[in-house]
């Protein structure tokens, strides 16, 4: 059975940070991978023409390396999703879910420190009801460095579902490097060293070299 995987990404690069290795692995196996991105740089948001052009180039190159079967970009203001009517977000997510008909959906962690992440989780979860979307069989929550580990919540991220990305970790780093404006030098959270350390840590938990960890919310077999 071929799968269709839809990842809900609050910002460009979140999909790679949280699930890049998994996306590459699924794509190589012949499955469909899709992304719904929520925010973007636009001149009316105060970004320069150079910043907008650079970001669009980053998104395009990352998409080329990942091999999207579908990429949807809502282009809302970064750090402004809590100002968007929740009903509108749910309707837009539902439209994409209905069009793609994924059997696997990946959401950001509900306690991430960034408000955009929390909004996407809540709106996305509203679009996982089995009686409305019977094709949606697996719901996962991803771990996004620089946001998940700073949640400050007593309900921390506790992965119980692991994907071996040992053969895909280097390519994940390659994709992440296309988002040059988001990377920094260690000990900056979004650094190659931190990506490697986390993948090794999750790999040890799964008995492999590198892994991505997820929280499994639902699996209908």
């Amino acid at each position: 059975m071929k799968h269709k995987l839809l990842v809900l990404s609050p910002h460009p690069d979140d999909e790679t940070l949280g699930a890049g290795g998994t996306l590459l692995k699924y794509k190589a196996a012949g499955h469909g991978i899709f992304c719904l991105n929520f925010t973007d740089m636009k001149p009316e948001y105060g970004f320069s023409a150079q910043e907008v052009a650079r970001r669009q180039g980053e998104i395009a190159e990352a998409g080329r390396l990942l091999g999207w079967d579908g990429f949807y970009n809502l282009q809302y203001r970064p750090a402004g999703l809590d100002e968007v009517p929740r009903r509108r977000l749910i309707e837009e997510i539902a439209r994409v879910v209905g069009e793609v008909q994924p059997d696997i959906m990946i959401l950001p962690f509900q306690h991430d420190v960034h408000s955009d992440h929390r909004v996407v989780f809540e709106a996305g979860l509203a679009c996982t009801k089995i009686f409305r979307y019977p094709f949606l069989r697996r719901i996962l929550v991803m771990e996004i460095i620089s946001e998940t580990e700073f949640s400050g919540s007593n309900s921390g991220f506790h992965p119980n579902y692991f994907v071996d990305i040992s053969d895909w970790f280097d390519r994940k780093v390659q994709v992440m490097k296309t988002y040059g404006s988001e990377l920094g030098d260690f000990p900056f959270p979004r650094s190659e060293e931190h990506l490697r350390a986390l993948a090794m840590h999750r790999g040890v938990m799964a008995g492999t070299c590198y892994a991505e960890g997820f929280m499994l919310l639902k699996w209908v077999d």
Side-chain angles (χ1 to χ4, degrees), residues 155-174:
S155 302
F157 187 87
H158 302 294
N160 56 1
Y161 185 100
F162 299 87
V163 177
D164 181 356
I165 63 166
S166 300
D167 293 335
W168 305 102
F169 176 75
D170 288 339
R171 286 189 61 184
K172 171 177 176 170
V173 172
Q174 181 185 3

Side-chain angles (χ1 to χ4, degrees), residues 6 8 36 38 72 74 86-102 105 120 123-129 132-133 135-136:
L6 174 65
L8 270 56
L36 173 56
F38 285 78
Y72 303 83
L74 300 182
R86 192 61 52 89
R87 179 177 179 178
R88 183 195 304 173
L89 284 175
I90 292 173
E91 288 175 348
E92 290 180 309
I93 296 169
R95 174 181 59 82
V96 173
V97 170
E99 181 175 328
V100 174
Q101 296 198 4
M105 183 186 289
V120 170
L125 193 65
C127 297
T128 64
K129 297 175 181 178
R132 295 192 187 280
Y133 311 99
F135 46 80
L136 194 51

Side-chain angles (χ1 to χ4, degrees), residues 17-105:
L17 288 169
T22 300
L23 292 165
L24 288 163
K25 182 174 185 174
Y26 270 62
K27 179 66 178 182
H31 304 298
I33 62 169
F34 301 80
C35 180
L36 173 56
N37 181 70
F38 285 78
T39 65
D40 203 352
M41 294 181 179
K42 299 175 73 174
E44 53 263 45
Y45 299 156
F47 295 100
S48 68
Q50 291 79 7
E51 288 174 316
V52 172
R54 183 183 67 225
R55 175 47 59 89
Q56 296 310 307
E58 291 172 347
I59 292 173
E61 179 61 11
R64 184 187 70 80
L65 293 173
L66 287 165
W68 294 125
D69 293 286
F71 182 82
Y72 303 83
N73 194 352
L74 300 182
Q75 294 189 308
Y76 284 112
R77 182 192 302 272
L81 289 181
D82 53 354
E83 300 173 1
V84 180
R86 192 61 52 89
R87 179 177 179 178
R88 183 195 304 173
L89 284 175
I90 292 173
E91 288 175 348
E92 290 180 309
I93 296 169
R95 174 181 59 82
V96 173
V97 170
E99 181 175 328
V100 174
Q101 296 198 4
D103 60 303
I104 304 171
M105 183 186 289

